[in-house]
Amino acid sequence: MKKKIFAAAVAFVATMSLATSAFAAAPGATNGSATTEVTVKADAPTEFKTENNLVLEAPAGAFEAGSNVKLDANVEAVTNVPAAAATVESAIAKIASVSGNNAKATVNTKLEISLTSNGTAVQPNGKVKVTVAYDGKSNVVAYVNGGTVEFFALTVTGNVCSFETSHFSDYYMASVDQAVVEKVVGQSTTIDNNGGNNPGTGVALAVAPAALAVAFVGVTAIVSKKKRG
């Protein structure tokens, strides 16, 4: 009888261990807040890795050599669609409609990332790579900076995803129709005071020629309409 109880206990522990491992590897399992501090070495890449497995990889020269740079990060699933997330969804839908696509966007995960050195906010010199657990849904990243929203490509590799940026604040990982991803990546959108948004005039260098062609056609149509009026 004792042997049977012992065997059952071992089986239970093994099952729980496997379940825990599966949960740890599941998409979005690194949600939560964490912090880490790194001393920047001269002529060498800098890597930040937080307790919740968010990783930031910066090339040599991205930060001042010898400085202590602290990274604070928070990763959380978006469940109640706060105002900023709603703005991102609206911005993506707006760009999609301008490109001839009628697609609804959904914001899934919010990333808050900040870097400080001796208590002062710092930004990297050039692009750095951010890697975080994949939420299983998103295919684009939006950066919200005051009245502007910028969009970046999201690369998925197994249970993690990554993107490149040169500035930090709040990021939102979102999912849209795959056909719309190439329409929004590399573009920026400005937000008006009424909560609406308009396609920004400043378009990042990553914008595809097709997107520029769409913008040109739109401008031509507006000019023609004014002439007729």
Side-chain angles (χ1 to χ4, degrees):
M1 183 67 180
K2 290 183 178 180
K3 289 183 178 180
K4 288 183 179 180
I5 294 175
F6 178 78
V10 171
F12 175 79
V13 171
T15 301
M16 291 301 295
S17 178
L18 289 172
T20 302
S21 299
F23 175 78
T30 58
N31 285 359
S33 300
T35 184
T36 187
E37 188 169 347
V38 174
T39 300
V40 180
K41 297 180 180 179
D43 302 320
T46 302
E47 180 181 270
F48 302 82
K49 186 171 183 179
T50 68
E51 295 172 358
N52 63 348
N53 294 323
L54 183 147
V55 179
L56 188 154
E57 299 170 84
F63 302 102
E64 183 180 355
S67 63
N68 293 321
V69 180
K70 181 182 178 183
L71 183 151
D72 290 295
N74 183 59
V75 184
E76 63 177 294
V78 174
T79 55
N80 59 352
V81 190
T87 296
V88 172
E89 293 179 354
S90 179
I92 293 176
K94 184 73 173 181
I95 292 178
S97 65
V98 170
S99 303
N101 296 90
N102 184 16
K104 185 181 186 321
T106 301
V107 172
N108 305 305
T109 304
K110 179 182 180 181
L111 308 176
E112 297 174 292
I113 304 173
S114 64
L115 297 170
T116 55
S117 179
N118 296 322
T120 301
V122 295
Q123 297 288 0
N125 179 24
K127 288 187 176 182
V128 298
K129 180 180 179 181
V130 178
T131 301
V132 68
Y134 181 48
D135 57 24
K137 306 173 185 177
S138 301
N139 53 9
V140 70
V141 178
Y143 167 62
V144 179
N145 180 22
T148 303
V149 181
E150 295 180 59
F151 298 97
F152 299 85
L154 186 67
T155 301
V156 180
T157 306
N159 285 336
V160 299
C161 59
S162 60
F163 62 95
E164 291 187 337
T165 184
S166 59
H167 39 240
F168 290 101
S169 184
D170 292 347
Y171 285 84
Y172 294 85
M173 292 164 53
S175 52
V176 296
D177 289 349
Q178 193 59 40
V180 177
V181 173
E182 63 182 30
K183 308 295 183 182
V184 299
V185 168
Q187 293 204 47
S188 63
T189 299
T190 56
I191 308 165
D192 62 36
N193 294 328
N194 297 320
N197 47 82
N198 306 295
T201 54
V203 180
L205 295 177
V207 174
L212 294 176
V214 171
F216 177 78
V217 171
V219 171
T220 302
I222 294 172
V223 172
S224 299
K225 185 175 180 180
K226 287 185 176 180
K227 286 183 176 180
R228 288 196 298 270

